[in-house]
Amino acid sequence: MTGTQEAARRPALGIDIGGTKVAGGVVAPDGAVLATARRATPGASVQETEDAIAAVVEELAAGPGRDAVGVGVGAAGWFDRTGDRVLFSPHLAWRNSSLRRDLAARFGRPLWVGNDADAAAWAEYRYGAARGADLALMVTLGTGIGGGIVLGGRLQRGSHGVAGEWGHMRVVPDGRLCACGNRGCWEQYASGTALAHTAREVARSSPAAAAVLLERVDGDPDRLTGEHVARAAADGDPLARGLLAEMGEWLGQGIADLAAVLDPEVVVIGGGVSVLGETVLGPARERLERALPGRGFRPGPRVVVAELGAQAGLVGAADLVRTAVAESGVDPSA
Ligand SMILES: [Zn+2]
């Protein structure tokens, strides 16, 4: 067996670095997660975050991951094309850090480092809702909006590594201030954070209409989160349902804009907010139908919920390092 074939048959380690936790898993070539490990993310310190990643890798490598072909790391940040440098991460401590070099020195294994939504997009293309699509887009809805592009069987990272950051398309001139430094970004209107923001605004301006929501936070609008809105909506509160529908409309409008630029076959909606399912996706599809440029004269994209859930990032990162090793033709055990 050549090194290439051998690499394609071995498990890989996938690590997903979020704002609150480092989650890792041993991922088989068929996408199955054989074991998991996690640590809290001390987001304020680069050193401590790297220590947490190393601890997860060591734990997995001591068990079912001992034969892993490499380590794939996805994080909520912007990376240069090679994954060598973290350019910017609104929610983590890295600024122009040499993450890849630091981690490669620690692990002594092949490494893939990149954006978490890119990794999730790859996972959905390989094993999930975008299987077989020629052009698939990922939209992850969480604290912000992340994105990834798979075209012709390749993850597309752009000329500088930061393609697919559509959470920062400006949808409202001089709108809400965003962590990226601009105003009116899409993620300020269609993410979990946006949902909380809108709920607080409504609760402050119309406390009577928001009574059901305010009950859940002892009358303090500042404590409202997206989660509160989701639960109130599930209990049938019309205001909460309206807020989710409004978020869905923003989502659909953004997807229409993406369709105008890229004409995707499928748009996969992932991230924590995607568990809301049709409450958000129904209004999103309706808005997309109304807002799609050339509507009635052209097909639009399918809009579907991600299939891999919270593990998409680590599954995709693991498969990306396995694919990179297999394609390089280097015997990973040599
Ligand atoms: Zn922004």
Side-chain angles (χ1 to χ4, degrees):
M1 206 161 42
T2 66
T4 299
Q5 287 167 329
E6 209 241 320
R9 292 171 186 221
R10 280 166 57 184
L13 302 185
I15 308 290
D16 186 17
I17 306 168
T20 57
K21 67 178 189 302
V22 175
V26 181
V27 183
D30 66 356
V33 178
L34 307 174
T36 58
R38 65 163 60 192
R39 294 286 186 286
T41 309
S45 155
V46 171
Q47 183 63 43
E48 285 174 357
T49 304
E50 292 182 10
D51 288 347
I53 299 167
V56 168
V57 168
E58 276 162 30
E59 184 180 329
L60 295 170
R66 75 178 63 80
D67 189 34
V69 69
V71 183
V73 179
W78 299 1
F79 294 81
D80 70 3
R81 208 180 144 84
T82 60
D84 286 341
R85 301 193 78 76
V86 185
L87 302 174
F88 177 64
S89 175
H91 308 290
L92 295 166
W94 293 309
R95 292 291 181 275
N96 204 19
S97 307
S98 53
L99 176 66
R100 197 163 105 116
R101 193 186 59 209
D102 296 354
L103 295 181
R106 280 184 174 216
F107 301 151
R109 294 177 193 246
L111 195 62
W112 180 91
V113 178
N115 177 262
D116 55 353
D118 279 355
W122 183 253
E124 292 294 336
Y125 167 72
R126 287 277 287 144
Y127 308 111
R131 248 188 325 258
D134 184 52
L135 174 48
L137 307 183
M138 181 90 201
V139 176
T140 59
L141 304 177
T143 311
I145 292 180
I149 306 164
V150 178
L151 169 64
R154 311 292 301 185
L155 177 66
Q156 305 294 327
R157 300 176 81 171
S159 296
H160 308 97
V162 288
E165 286 297 338
W166 29 71
H168 304 282
M169 294 190 295
R170 188 162 86 156
V171 297
V172 178
D174 300 320
R176 293 173 181 167
L177 188 62
C178 182
C180 76
N182 290 336
R183 281 185 179 278
C185 296
W186 191 25
E187 71 174 34
Q188 296 306 316
Y189 298 87
S191 62
T193 307
L195 187 59
H197 189 128
T198 310
R200 288 174 200 153
E201 276 181 359
V202 173
R204 271 187 225 107
S205 62
S206 318
V212 172
L213 279 175
L214 284 166
E215 243 170 56
R216 290 166 190 259
V217 287
D218 299 326
D220 180 1
D222 290 337
R223 283 173 47 205
L224 279 171
T225 65
E227 192 113 7
H228 290 120
V229 181
R231 274 194 243 119
D235 291 346
D237 177 41
L239 177 74
R241 294 186 74 85
L243 291 173
L244 290 182
E246 189 184 323
M247 188 174 89
E249 295 229 353
W250 279 113
L251 180 62
Q253 179 62 54
I255 293 170
D257 294 342
L258 296 183
V261 181
L262 292 164
D263 187 20
E265 179 179 334
V266 59
V267 178
V268 182
I269 310 298
V273 178
S274 67
V275 301
L276 295 169
E278 289 307 305
T279 328
V280 172
L281 288 201
R285 289 197 194 94
E286 278 166 31
R287 178 60 170 257
L288 169 61
E289 220 162 273
R290 292 200 309 275
L292 187 69
R295 61 193 170 280
F297 299 97
R298 55 162 291 183
R302 285 185 294 123
V303 178
V304 298
V305 180
E307 290 179 7
L308 297 174
Q311 289 188 320
L314 70 87
V315 168
D319 194 64
L320 281 159
V321 73
R322 178 169 36 234
T323 302
V325 172
E327 287 181 350
S328 71
V330 177
D331 183 346
S333 53

